[in-house]
Amino acid sequence: MAKRIGKQTVKLQNPPSILSYASIVGPKEGQGPLGEYFDQVLEDDMFGEKSWEKAECKMLQETIKLSMKKANLTADDINYVLAGDLLNQIISASFMAREIQIPYIGLYGACSTMSESLSLAAMLIDGGFADYVIAATSSHFSSAERQYRFPLELGTQRPLTSTWTVTGAGATVLGTTSKGNGPYITYVTTGKVVDLGIKDQFNMGAAMAPAAADTIKTHFDDTGFKPEDYDLIISGDLGIIGIDLTQQLLGQMKLDINNIFTDCGLKIFDTEKQDTHAGASGCGCSAAVLNGYLIKEIINGKYNRILFMSTGALLSPISTLQGESIPGIAHAVTIQRTLD
Amino acid sequence: MILVLRNNDINLQKDYQKIVKQSTPRPTIFKNCILAFITGGLICDVGQFFLNYFKSLGIDPIQAGTPTSIVMVFIGAFLTGIGVYDLIGKYAGAGSIVPITGFANSIVAPAMEFKREGYVFGVGARMFTIAGPVIVYGVTSSIIIGLIYYLLRL
């Protein structure tokens, strides 16, 4: 068990290298502050398809194809694709796999799917079970909205605590250490489900903050790192309220990361100008920010080591109606430019 | 001071929910009420305009309500169809939900949304997902009120 350190963390002995990354986003995301970082910005969020579900699936497919192309690999080279999404029975990911024809492992971690798939991909490679693995996920504002909330044309007011589901997809191709020049995945901390009784589905930041705080605290306890060891700690879609609550919880646990802590959901949209209220959410949020912005900035040298932590609210429309509280989860992955 | 975040710790849950309450922005109730009042009033003005028009055609004042409702439902459905009603609703809130145009919106919006799942199990089955409960409890409460009224008159 030499690879396991602490309670929930794996230290990868042969850290997998990120070989390539790709992202495709919708029009609103393209107008946001990170617009120029994405590989492709759709002009039309239907992507030439007949339904939003089909559009989401195509977006995921095209992102994965693009990521393989950027790594000069074909589907035959890839050993596994790990993917998931928000829709019932993860149809975007499974229908993508129907087209792509790579051995497929479907995942559901709600909005935490990007770091979940990245963690598992890294462990598969470090374990020697694969040479090349793709981790990918997607979400679409309109397909998520109709499944979780109301029809789009219904005249309702969104509460100030609500977040805007990102239309976007991201894919990362990982390979064994010798196959690339970094950035590398070095640590993986798998989160526990934490639920402190929040029931408001329009305040998912509050529901996920305890899980985020728990995973960050555990990561530092397990690895012995100090906040100074990181240039950036970035959560998936906590939003303004979730970030604030996570900092308050960590403050009570005597861990101060406030000056390096931010959220993908606050990066991708201009919350004031684009009227997204508390921020952005969805699998595609952290996936697009990681594969559009973060990896690029690590390669450019802006960041040396980051902790990437997608956060998920594991609710369903049925559990909400039955009065259940919202279980939260967060998985953290350490990405660094060079191996020390 | 918290050491471990445990799911079944009732005190921790209570403390946390208190922090959440403090950290959550309050909805802008006063502003929402004013906007709802103005837009709701404007929609009613449009209704009154048509009511007066139908009365001026010589239709009996009580019966003139029917063509007025028909026109208002059409306007609500039309604005939903061209994607404008949800934009009004974003600012107006209850002001555009309560009038009969809001009722039209609540039926047309799901009908449009679920068209891709077919006309029977899509449009047909899902059309009343939002208006359905309103109809069920509207009819139920009118029966109860009717009974009470009847008994009081005995």
Side-chain angles (χ1 to χ4, degrees):
Chain A
M1 296 287 273
K3 289 176 184 175
R4 282 202 76 84
I5 53 170
K7 279 190 299 184
Q8 291 166 232
T9 304
V10 168
K11 182 182 182 190
L12 299 163
Q13 279 180 344
N14 310 299
S17 173
I18 294 174
L19 303 180
S20 77
Y21 48 94
S23 58
I24 298 180
V25 298
K28 190 182 173 91
E29 292 69 21
Q31 287 157 10
L34 301 183
E36 59 190 47
Y37 285 93
F38 304 116
D39 292 304
Q40 190 184 342
V41 177
L42 303 181
E43 279 171 30
D44 167 23
D45 64 357
M46 289 290 275
F47 208 174
E49 293 290 323
K50 285 199 178 113
S51 73
W52 290 309
E53 286 76 10
K54 287 195 172 104
E56 180 179 337
C57 180
K58 184 174 172 188
M59 202 164 58
L60 183 60
Q61 240 177 69
E62 293 301 316
T63 310
I64 289 174
K65 282 185 194 161
L66 188 62
S67 71
M68 289 192 288
K69 199 174 146 199
K70 283 170 92 174
N72 285 322
L73 294 169
T74 63
D76 293 331
D77 300 319
I78 311 289
N79 302 118
Y80 295 100
V81 57
L82 309 183
D85 59 275
L86 284 176
L87 301 181
N88 289 338
Q89 288 80 38
I90 52 169
I91 50 174
S92 306
S94 302
F95 286 35
M96 167 281 292
R98 179 173 70 180
E99 296 299 318
I100 299 264
Q101 290 293 306
I102 299 170
Y104 158 69
I105 298 174
L107 302 173
Y108 185 79
C111 309
S112 72
T113 309
M114 192 64 230
S115 57
E116 186 187 16
S117 58
L118 206 58
S119 306
L120 290 169
M123 289 195 273
L124 278 173
I125 290 176
D126 184 31
F129 302 106
D131 289 331
Y132 299 105
V133 181
I134 297 179
T137 178
S138 65
S139 62
H140 192 298
F141 173 77
S142 303
S143 64
E145 206 59 21
R146 71 191 301 221
Q147 178 177 306
Y148 287 98
R149 289 172 276 269
F150 298 114
L152 283 184
E153 298 300 334
L154 191 72
T156 51
Q157 281 175 326
R158 297 171 57 242
L160 294 174
T161 52
S162 66
T163 47
W164 190 278
T165 307
V166 164
T167 302
T172 316
V173 182
L174 292 185
T176 46
T177 319
S178 57
K179 296 261 178 0
N181 305 313
Y184 302 93
I185 313 271
T186 48
Y187 293 86
V188 163
T189 303
T190 306
K192 284 189 296 193
V193 171
V194 184
D195 181 347
L196 293 186
I198 300 299
K199 292 186 175 177
D200 182 2
Q201 62 152 334
F202 289 104
N203 193 358
M204 294 205 282
M208 297 186 292
D214 187 58
T215 300
I216 294 174
K217 178 79 167 69
T218 311
H219 178 79
F220 282 108
D221 287 350
D222 287 353
T223 56
F225 280 134
K226 299 267 171 299
E228 304 86 81
D229 294 320
Y230 282 102
D231 300 313
L232 181 75
I233 297 175
I234 188 158
S235 57
D237 54 358
L238 288 173
I240 298 166
I241 299 158
I243 284 272
D244 176 38
L245 289 166
T246 307
Q247 288 176 345
Q248 288 190 41
L249 286 172
L250 286 173
Q252 296 199 21
M253 297 191 257
K254 302 273 179 259
L255 183 63
D256 182 5
I257 56 164
N258 296 5
N259 53 346
I260 48 165
F261 187 33
T262 187
D263 184 53
C264 297
L266 299 178
K267 285 261 177 204
I268 196 165
F269 290 129
D270 185 327
T271 45
E272 288 288 320
K273 274 192 210 146
Q274 297 188 293
D275 195 28
T276 51
H277 296 322
S281 59
C283 303
C285 177
S286 58
V289 173
L290 175 73
N291 293 296
Y293 171 74
L294 291 172
I295 298 178
K296 228 169 256 177
E297 291 296 8
I298 293 171
I299 293 171
N300 290 344
K302 185 172 178 186
Y303 306 116
N304 271 318
R305 185 190 278 151
I306 71 164
L307 187 66
F308 172 72
M309 180 184 66
S310 303
T311 40
L314 302 171
L315 77 169
S316 90
I318 292 173
S319 71
T320 309
L321 289 176
Q322 293 183 353
E324 276 277 5
S325 54
I326 303 172
I329 193 152
H331 303 298
V333 175
T334 304
I335 306 173
Q336 55 191 61
R337 187 149 53 99
T338 49
L339 292 172
D340 329 291
Chain B
M1 192 180 141
I2 308 172
L3 289 173
V4 200
L5 293 164
R6 266 184 316 206
N7 289 335
N8 45 10
D9 186 335
I10 303 288
N11 288 326
L12 176 63
Q13 287 200 4
K14 271 190 194 147
D15 287 346
Y16 181 63
Q17 280 160 21
K18 211 183 281 169
I19 306 176
V20 170
K21 220 172 193 177
Q22 285 162 2
S23 310
T24 305
R26 279 167 221 286
T28 46
I29 292 178
F30 187 70
K31 188 182 137 207
N32 290 1
C33 285
I34 303 238
L35 281 173
F37 181 78
I38 293 172
T39 34
L42 283 175
I43 293 172
C44 294
D45 275 347
V46 177
Q48 188 65 45
F49 168 79
F50 283 108
L51 187 69
N52 291 351
Y53 172 71
F54 288 121
K55 276 198 253 177
S56 74
L57 294 180
I59 301 175
D60 177 69
I62 294 171
Q63 287 182 345
T66 311
T68 308
S69 302
I70 293 171
V71 171
M72 295 309 283
V73 166
F74 170 76
I75 294 175
F78 182 72
L79 291 179
T80 306
I82 60 171
V84 171
Y85 207 86
D86 61 322
L87 302 178
I88 301 174
K90 198 172 123 187
Y91 294 99
S96 62
I97 291 174
V98 176
I100 200 165
T101 46
F103 193 70
N105 172 246
S106 74
I107 294 171
V108 176
M112 286 166 66
E113 182 103 13
F114 292 101
K115 195 177 149 239
R116 291 179 197 112
E117 280 80 43
Y119 283 101
V120 178
F121 292 108
V123 176
R126 303 290 199 106
M127 199 153 120
F128 290 95
T129 40
I130 292 154
V134 181
I135 297 173
V136 170
Y137 293 106
V139 171
T140 313
S141 49
S142 63
I143 291 171
I144 293 169
I145 301 288
L147 278 175
I148 294 170
Y149 183 70
Y150 173 75
L151 291 172
L152 288 176
R153 294 286 298 264
L154 276 182

